[in-house]
Amino acid sequence: MLILLHIACGLDSRYMISRIRPEKFKVLSLTTIASPHRGSSVADYVFDQTGAERLPQIYYALNRLNVETGAFGQLTRKYMTETFNPNVPDIEDVRYFSYGAAFEPSIWSAFRMSHRVLASIEGPNDGLVSVSSSRWGGESGYKGTLMGVSHLDLINWTNRLKWLAAEVTGNRRKFNAIAFYLDIADMLAKEGL
């Protein structure tokens, strides 16, 4: 059983299962959460706005700040649909499951701009990945869309101050990442995986 939570891990795990084919263990299933299986319009937008001639300078600046940039170009919709997916097919005896997420950002959200870009092109999204791009594993493999959940909520990075403010104002936290992951483990156990 592999449960993957981060944007790159789902794609890395698909690659590992399909291309590396580990021999020391057997992968029975892969569950991805908000992985951009079909790329992200946010990556497309950044590349379009930046322009190819300025990319080396931006990569240099980000690398100096210790921000990893290597995979960013591989998150475009074109790369994912024309290069990655055709070369990383699903393996027949592995069960694939996926979840997506969607929310409406507040005025203070770090995802306001990226959400707007994604919503205008791909529809509902978690601020970084659209629901349509998150879907993987066929109809029976898509387990659902988590509503009111951002990408940071999914990886349990939601800021504690936000939780405190919500509790003080009488709003309860609507999403508990740890409980969600435990539910996935329970679902996989019931599936015999």
Side-chain angles (χ1 to χ4, degrees):
M1 154 180 45
L2 284 180
I3 300 174
L4 299 202
L5 316 172
H6 190 272
I7 198 169
C9 293
L11 302 177
D12 291 344
S13 295
R14 281 184 48 213
Y15 184 87
M16 178 201 64
I17 292 166
S18 178
R19 304 291 296 199
I20 297 174
R21 298 197 178 204
E23 296 177 8
K24 294 188 178 196
F25 58 91
K26 170 93 172 107
V27 177
L28 301 176
S29 70
L30 172 64
T31 300
T32 60
I33 303 164
S35 289
H37 297 288
R38 289 166 189 80
S40 175
S41 294
V42 172
D44 296 344
Y45 179 83
V46 169
F47 276 96
D48 290 346
Q49 294 301 308
T50 302
E53 68 281 351
R54 291 192 345 213
L55 278 177
Q57 297 158 336
I58 291 170
Y59 281 163
Y60 175 79
L62 290 172
N63 285 331
R64 298 278 296 157
L65 295 170
N66 290 325
V67 174
E68 178 61 44
T69 59
F72 193 73
Q74 296 175 352
L75 295 176
T76 64
R77 292 184 302 154
K78 179 179 171 81
Y79 179 84
M80 287 303 299
T81 58
E82 294 179 12
T83 304
F84 186 87
N85 288 337
N87 289 299
V88 183
D90 288 351
I91 299 300
E92 210 170 290
D93 60 346
V94 174
R95 302 224 6 231
Y96 293 85
F97 301 103
S98 61
Y99 290 85
F103 87 122
E104 288 299 321
S106 71
I107 195 166
W108 307 110
S109 175
F111 291 129
R112 279 190 66 211
M113 184 173 171
S114 60
H115 183 276
R116 189 177 325 125
V117 168
L118 274 166
S120 69
I121 298 169
E122 297 183 54
N125 67 82
D126 67 3
L128 289 179
V129 180
S130 70
V131 170
S132 60
S133 189
S134 299
R135 290 178 178 266
W136 200 257
E139 285 305 310
S140 63
Y142 189 69
K143 294 301 188 180
T145 303
L146 303 164
M147 300 304 293
V149 179
S150 76
H151 201 78
L152 289 179
D153 293 331
L154 288 170
I155 59 176
N156 207 27
W157 279 12
T158 304
N159 129 6
R160 303 262 184 232
L161 184 59
K162 177 182 167 186
W163 293 348
L164 179 62
E167 287 177 19
V168 168
T169 60
N171 297 316
R172 300 179 82 199
R173 235 174 49 186
K174 296 178 180 98
F175 179 72
N176 181 329
I178 295 168
F180 172 63
Y181 304 142
L182 291 172
D183 286 345
I184 292 173
D186 186 54
M187 177 271 297
L188 293 171
K190 288 176 181 169
E191 293 274 344
L193 302 169

